[in-house]
Amino acid sequence: MSETALKAPGAVAPSGDANRWKALVFIALAQLMVVLDATIVNIALPAAQQDLGISDGNKQWVITAYALAFGGLLLFGGRIADLWGRKRTFVLGLIGFAAASALGGAATTGSMMFGARALQGVFGALLAPAALSLLAVMFTNPNERAKAFGIYGAIAGGGGAVGLILGGFLTEYLDWRWTFFVNIPFAVVAAAGAYFVIREPEGGRNRSPLDIPGVILSTLGLVSLVYGFTRAESDGWSDALTVSMFVASVVLLLAFVLVESRVKAPLLPLRVVTDRNRGGIYLSLGLAIIGMFGLFLFLTYYLQVVKGYSPVKTGFAFLPMVGGMITGSTQIGTRLMTRVPARLLMGPGFLVAGLGMLLLTQLETDSSYGALLLPAMLLLGLGMGTAFMPAMSLATQGVQPRDAGVASAMVNTSQQVGGAIGTALLNTIASSATTSYVRDHVAGATAGPQQKLVQLQGLVHGYTAAIWFAVGILGLAALIAFTFVNAGRPNTTTTVISGEGAEDEVPVPVVAH
């Protein structure tokens, strides 16, 4: 077997760099920071809005500015990692994210805050695909890869809930500005550790010239798509600008695919996404995230508005989900990934998560946390943790080293676009169902307390209506995982790069550890 074959992700490699497990600590720390930031800012938003004098109409830009920059530039960030080197891009992303976080924490106006959030998105788009692609090229032994991606998957899944706890503590007991400043020590430690510890394998750089038309078309297309869904949430699906954004995104992304099929050195080689397994993973992950993002939003509001929980108590209420994700990822997924095909982890994982979501359709204003929410969150966490771990590993397995960054960026892109769709789609369904319920029932409520009860019942009715859609979406994700993902156990085959752009799978015996 050639030296090239041994370097290919998914190939059986020797023990590799002795520092790879230390490197995992700093890669995981950076991933935790990025995932925390996605939810920690939501907790701080009301206080920041009041302090900076941001209007209700403009407050969405604290979230939207980050989402547009992050989602729009992910493919570009992934290719930069392939071009410059993953370690260099990773460290640069961390330093930039820390500086943008400091700017956000020191913001004195709304415009300064929006700019800081956009900068966080820019550097996050460099950081996220570089982190995942470093794992892909450093951990090539199937058993070690399973453990490394188990840890990474647990953090990717559970970090958002930890952000709710940390955001609640910082906002309630310190100041909203600390939800930004807290990123700085994370970033500094991760950057310093990465600089001294990470040794990126040689031979994985992509020396091709940057595909400028591809960068412009993909960035504008993804920005239009994410903004279209974000605007649909606030202004409605029939709003002229919303419709224009969707039309523009379709035209731009179709033009992007056409360009990528013709240029010599494409930003996103179509072989990365047309592979049956990777295509199925990107699609099923995106669908699963649609359901998960809506759930976080609804449960946060349910616990705080309907049940009257404080931000800190709300964060702690999500801990069973975090525990389930860690268990599913590090215990179930890691132990079984080298023994069963990925589809037999992903499909059942999404179904178990769907069962947890199904329980939440029974929510009422007086539902018991212990009897309903606790088992539902455990099932959701177990299912998602079990499914995410092999998905993230397989999405970068067998990819040519020079494409590892952009393949990793596609994982992040499917999650980011899925999050934008989930928030907009499910929130629209919930709002419509709530409005309809209140209109039908408020006439019978004469006194103030009765009207308030109807309002709360309307909210819960809206949440459950949207959660039914999330159940169906998770069922579709499971169906796609079962039918599209047909890869065998990762320790039974390896990918050999036999020529420029060519891949052949050959059976290679592996000694289990």
Side-chain angles (χ1 to χ4, degrees):
M1 185 178 293
S2 69
E3 184 182 351
T4 310
L6 289 176
K7 288 179 181 176
V12 180
S15 58
D17 180 21
N19 286 329
R20 63 195 180 283
W21 290 107
K22 293 178 184 176
L24 175 61
V25 173
F26 301 110
I27 293 170
L29 187 64
Q31 173 66 11
L32 179 61
M33 179 190 71
V34 172
V35 177
L36 281 175
D37 192 73
T39 50
I40 202 171
V41 173
N42 288 330
I43 296 288
L45 184 55
Q49 180 188 356
Q50 186 177 2
D51 218 15
L52 300 177
I54 301 172
S55 68
D56 283 335
N58 286 333
K59 72 176 182 181
Q60 65 163 328
W61 284 101
V62 177
I63 307 299
T64 304
Y66 177 84
L68 292 181
F70 187 73
L73 292 171
L74 272 168
L75 286 177
F76 178 56
R79 183 52 85 199
I80 288 294
D82 290 331
L83 187 63
W84 288 356
R86 296 164 192 91
K87 173 181 173 178
R88 183 183 299 174
T89 307
F90 182 69
V91 172
L92 175 64
L94 282 165
I95 294 169
F97 200 92
S101 298
L103 185 65
T108 54
T109 65
S111 299
M112 189 173 172
M113 170 62 76
F114 304 150
R117 288 291 284 161
L119 276 176
Q120 278 187 313
V122 170
F123 288 105
L126 287 176
L127 172 60
L132 187 56
S133 59
L134 276 171
L135 281 189
V137 298
M138 292 178 73
F139 290 90
T140 52
N141 176 281
N143 290 291
E144 290 192 347
R145 186 180 178 90
K147 293 173 186 174
F149 275 88
I151 295 167
Y152 186 88
I155 290 171
V162 176
L164 293 173
I165 300 172
L166 189 58
F169 265 110
L170 294 173
T171 304
E172 213 167 302
Y173 299 115
L174 288 174
D175 185 81
W176 66 265
R177 296 181 185 277
W178 282 97
T179 60
F180 287 90
F181 291 145
V182 74
N183 289 331
I184 299 172
F186 276 101
V188 169
V189 171
Y195 183 79
F196 290 109
V197 170
I198 290 178
R199 298 287 181 270
E200 185 179 349
E202 295 179 8
R205 293 276 188 93
N206 188 331
R207 304 290 186 181
S208 304
L210 195 60
D211 171 21
I212 301 299
V215 169
I216 294 170
L217 288 169
S218 68
T219 301
L220 291 177
L222 288 170
V223 164
S224 299
L225 184 63
V226 173
Y227 185 56
F229 280 109
T230 303
R231 188 172 175 86
E233 183 187 359
S234 58
D235 293 73
W237 296 88
S238 59
D239 174 72
L241 185 55
T242 301
V243 174
S244 299
M245 286 295 104
F246 285 136
V247 171
S249 71
V250 170
V251 172
L252 288 164
L253 292 176
L254 284 176
F256 171 68
V257 172
L258 184 64
V259 167
E260 298 308 276
S261 66
R262 299 191 175 192
V263 297
K264 185 178 179 181
L267 174 71
L268 175 63
L270 295 183
R271 61 179 176 268
V272 172
V273 290
T274 54
D275 175 84
R276 175 173 176 164
N277 287 290
R278 281 191 290 274
I281 284 168
Y282 296 146
L283 189 54
S284 61
L285 266 183
L287 287 168
I289 291 294
I290 289 175
M292 282 298 290
F293 260 66
L295 177 77
F296 269 121
L297 180 71
F298 298 141
L299 280 189
T300 301
Y301 275 97
Y302 174 80
L303 292 170
Q304 291 192 37
V305 176
V306 180
K307 304 293 282 186
Y309 284 21
S310 68
V312 173
K313 190 176 179 182
T314 300
F316 276 109
F318 278 97
L319 277 181
M321 188 186 295
V322 178
M325 283 182 175
I326 292 172
T327 303
S329 187
T330 63
Q331 299 304 310
I332 301 173
T334 298
R335 292 174 186 274
L336 295 180
M337 197 181 91
T338 56
R339 300 177 184 178
V340 299
R343 68 179 180 277
L344 297 184
L345 289 173
M346 290 177 62
F350 290 138
L351 289 178
V352 169
L355 182 59
M357 199 79 79
L358 189 64
L359 286 179
L360 290 174
T361 61
Q362 306 305 307
L363 269 184
E364 295 179 359
T365 54
D366 58 351
S367 291
S368 164
Y369 177 83
L372 182 63
L373 273 77
L374 178 62
M377 286 190 183
L378 282 171
L379 287 171
L380 276 159
L382 277 171
M384 287 298 190
T386 301
F388 276 25
M389 182 263 159
M392 288 188 173
S393 176
L394 193 59
T396 53
Q397 185 173 310
V399 179
Q400 297 178 42
R402 62 198 179 95
D403 293 333
V406 77
S408 302
M410 275 302 299
V411 176
N412 296 111
T413 301
S414 66
Q415 291 175 313
Q416 186 66 24
V417 172
I421 295 172
T423 304
L425 178 64
L426 296 181
N427 200 44
T428 302
I429 294 167
S431 298
S432 176
T434 295
T435 302
S436 178
Y437 182 93
V438 171
R439 186 180 60 243
D440 293 343
H441 292 80
V442 76
T446 53
Q450 287 180 314
Q451 291 180 345
K452 184 177 180 182
L453 179 61
V454 168
Q455 291 285 350
L456 292 178
Q457 288 171 338
L459 280 176
V460 176
H461 176 75
Y463 300 158
T464 55
I467 289 170
W468 272 112
F469 274 85
V471 172
I473 290 168
L474 283 173
L476 182 58
L479 180 64
I480 289 170
F482 277 126
T483 54
F484 278 72
V485 181
N486 65 351
R489 293 180 296 153
N491 62 341
T492 57
T493 61
T494 184
T495 300
V496 179
I497 311 302
S498 56
E500 185 69 20
E503 295 183 4
D504 299 305
E505 285 195 349
V506 295
V508 176
V510 176
V511 179
H513 294 283

